[in-house]
Amino acid sequence: MGLCSGPSSTSTSGSGLGSGSGLGASPTLPPSVAASVPMSVPLLEHMPYGAAAANQQLEKLRAFHGHGGPIWCVDMDTVRGRLVSGSYDKTLKIWDLASGRCQRTLRGHSGWVSCLRVEQGGERIVSGSWDASIKVWDAEEGVVRQTLACGVGNALYTLDLDQGSAEVAVGCRHHHVQLWDLEAGQKLNDFFGHSKEVGALRLTPRTLVTGSGDTTIKVWDKLAHECRMTLRGHSSTVMCLEYDGEHKVVSGSYDKTCKLWDLRRPSAPVHTFRDHTGAVFALRFDNDKFISGSSDCTVKVLRFREDEKVL
């Protein structure tokens, strides 16, 4: 734990984790990764579905400065009005959304912080790192309450927390997903099937959706511990995805596209969005629209067609 300190040259820009080699313990970011990591978000574009390249400049509300390296992951606690960021500098920072002030810096990982989730309205922050560990933090005290070891050299690329239980899933360098019970401190299951690292996932009470460097997306029955379907269509690493808990999945890839999928008709994507000129690292969506962030240094807001809203 500790007060915020460090260089003030980096603003938070949520991004997924790119492919790389070696744990993030070296002092220098690999050039192949550095070239693809946006250090800030200078432009926000709003692009209605099917619109041409006419861009609308929107107002940036706030920038958060303090990390000493690229920011790999962010999450918000909308109940308590705070943002949590994880960085290549091996720290997490807790920010007040209203003031932009850093409330606390969390130190404990020995590798870069690649993924995190915040318990909405609670005190728990869960982070994953290239040091191959999951850490559970007390947000108010700024201390580590729990550390779970995920295997030697098994860097963690992505993480999701089931807000309704104590379960957390992590996507790993060693081509699989681990499901953990935080209350018991025990691993519940391993999900094998991908042939490369798992860099994106979403967890619900019954379903796990994963994206990988093997270019595929897999939908798993979490309770039966089996893969229900594999979605194919991307031509490069799946960097991020969102799942509505029913039929709709949106994925973003290093191939510069986002794809909309209907799990009732999984043989091909419903639509492919080709609006970015760089790898797509981050996604969020609701029923009407999705927001994507890319290494082309833009964030795009795209609206679904009427027939796509009801998938």
Side-chain angles (χ1 to χ4, degrees):
M1 65 177 289
L3 297 177
C4 298
S5 62
S8 57
S9 60
T10 307
S11 60
T12 57
S13 56
S15 67
L17 181 62
S19 299
S21 60
L23 287 175
S26 61
T28 304
L29 191 67
S32 61
V33 178
S36 66
V37 178
M39 295 292 287
S40 62
V41 183
L43 176 66
L44 179 63
E45 299 177 65
H46 182 277
M47 299 189 66
Y49 181 91
N55 298 330
Q56 177 183 351
Q57 183 77 42
L58 301 181
E59 179 185 2
K60 181 173 67 176
L61 297 178
R62 193 175 302 281
F64 301 84
H65 299 273
H67 278 295
I71 292 91
W72 288 113
C73 48
V74 296
D75 197 16
M76 285 194 297
D77 181 350
T78 55
V79 177
R80 293 179 177 266
R82 59 192 178 194
L83 174 80
V84 182
S85 56
S87 171
Y88 184 76
D89 67 11
K90 308 175 187 177
T91 72
L92 294 85
K93 289 183 182 290
I94 303 174
W95 311 82
D96 179 76
L97 283 172
S99 67
R101 185 178 66 87
C102 179
Q103 298 175 324
R104 193 178 297 277
T105 297
L106 308 180
R107 297 180 173 89
H109 281 296
S110 59
W112 57 7
V113 181
S114 52
C115 45
L116 66 89
R117 282 294 182 200
V118 176
E119 183 180 40
Q120 295 298 308
E123 305 303 331
R124 188 159 51 187
I125 299 169
V126 185
S127 61
S129 168
W130 275 38
D131 64 13
S133 76
I134 301 167
K135 289 188 183 292
V136 182
W137 307 81
D138 184 313
E140 293 302 315
E141 298 295 328
V143 296
V144 177
R145 295 299 187 192
Q146 191 175 32
T147 298
L148 304 172
C150 298
V152 177
N154 191 28
L156 305 185
Y157 285 71
T158 184
L159 175 154
D160 202 12
L161 172 69
D162 183 354
Q163 296 286 343
S165 74
E167 292 183 352
V168 62
V170 290
C172 305
R173 170 184 286 168
H174 292 169
H175 308 174
H176 69 296
V177 172
Q178 296 181 3
L179 181 66
W180 290 80
D181 182 333
L182 297 182
E183 296 297 337
Q186 295 180 342
K187 186 168 64 173
L188 300 175
N189 264 317
D190 291 299
F191 294 80
F192 288 95
H194 285 294
S195 60
K196 290 188 177 180
E197 75 283 348
V198 178
L201 66 82
R202 282 294 176 260
L203 175 67
T204 72
R206 295 191 59 89
T207 305
L208 182 65
V209 184
T210 60
S212 169
D214 64 14
T215 77
T216 70
I217 298 162
K218 290 184 179 293
V219 182
W220 308 79
D221 185 319
K222 190 189 76 174
L223 303 182
H225 192 220
E226 62 184 16
C227 181
R228 288 169 41 206
M229 66 186 74
T230 299
L231 310 180
R232 295 179 171 87
H234 283 294
S235 61
S236 190
T237 301
V238 179
M239 304 298 297
C240 51
L241 61 83
E242 286 291 305
Y243 172 51
D244 71 351
E246 295 184 7
H247 310 297
K248 185 186 294 184
V249 171
V250 178
S251 57
S253 169
Y254 225 91
D255 65 13
K256 307 176 187 179
T257 71
C258 298
K259 293 182 184 290
L260 171 65
W261 307 83
D262 183 346
L263 298 186
R264 295 165 297 185
R265 296 178 287 276
S267 59
V270 174
H271 189 80
T272 297
F273 301 86
R274 306 181 187 276
D275 300 277
H276 283 292
T277 59
V280 180
F281 283 95
L283 283 173
R284 285 290 186 269
F285 78 168
D286 60 21
N287 190 54
D288 297 317
K289 63 186 176 297
F290 74 89
I291 303 170
S292 57
S294 168
S295 63
D296 64 13
C297 295
T298 67
V299 173
K300 296 183 186 291
V301 184
L302 296 103
R303 298 193 178 277
F304 295 121
R305 295 183 315 211
E306 288 303 316
D307 60 320
E308 295 170 346
K309 294 180 183 180
V310 295
L311 290 184

